[in-house]
Amino acid sequence: MLVDGVSRRTIWLHPDDPSIVQIIDQRCLPHRFVIEDLKTVEEAAKAILDMHVRGAPLIGATAAYGMYLAALAVQRDGADSPKTAMGKAGELLKGTRPTAVNLQWAVDRITAILETADDAGTIVHKCKTEAERIVEEDVEICRMIGVHGLSLIEEISARKDGGVVNVLTHCNAG
């Protein structure tokens, strides 16, 4: 999306510090544009719980990045059992919205790739790579929603002789 002429996503890694996940605080929209920094899995969980992020795919992406933040903490703190610590992080995230399918799916997807990871460095790398993959997949799905919806909007516009077409979107509208 364009915000003041700048292309933005709803979630991304801080360009100067990849240990910080940045989100658009959707509670402030449309009146204010606020970028929020998430530095811990607990902050990611709070962002999901308190609806700083909204929409199933973005909630899933936030959970995936939350697992990445947990992996960074495991690496930084030298957890005795990285897999146990990651399991606790996954449960924390899942507990924020127990019925959120994309959240459960993203945490499970990250957890599954950690089966072959034994050291903290590998866990961090795998979590980051998979979280980025989840975000890219979401961007493409949303783009395709827009592509598929375009013909409908064009059809309505033609019926209105090029007049204004009002579109109300909900959740991940592409």
Side-chain angles (χ1 to χ4, degrees), residues 67 70-90 111 114 117-124 127:
M67 292 294 284
L72 288 172
V74 163
Q75 184 179 47
R76 179 187 64 240
D77 300 341
D80 290 334
S81 175
K83 287 187 181 179
T84 299
M86 293 303 294
K88 287 179 182 177
T111 302
L114 298 180
D118 291 325
D119 64 281
T122 302
I123 290 171
V124 168
C127 285

Side-chain angles (χ1 to χ4, degrees), residues 64-133:
Y65 270 130
M67 292 294 284
Y68 164 67
L69 292 171
L72 288 172
V74 163
Q75 184 179 47
R76 179 187 64 240
D77 300 341
D80 290 334
S81 175
K83 287 187 181 179
T84 299
M86 293 303 294
K88 287 179 182 177
E91 292 307 312
L92 171 68
L93 290 162
K94 285 181 174 184
T96 60
R97 297 204 174 266
T99 61
V101 173
N102 286 58
L103 185 155
Q104 307 287 330
W105 166 83
V107 169
D108 290 346
R109 182 167 160 179
I110 296 285
T111 302
I113 65 159
L114 298 180
E115 291 299 319
T116 59
D118 291 325
D119 64 281
T122 302
I123 290 171
V124 168
H125 174 73
K126 285 187 172 220
C127 285
K128 180 178 183 258
T129 300
E130 197 65 15
E132 290 172 334
R133 190 174 291 131

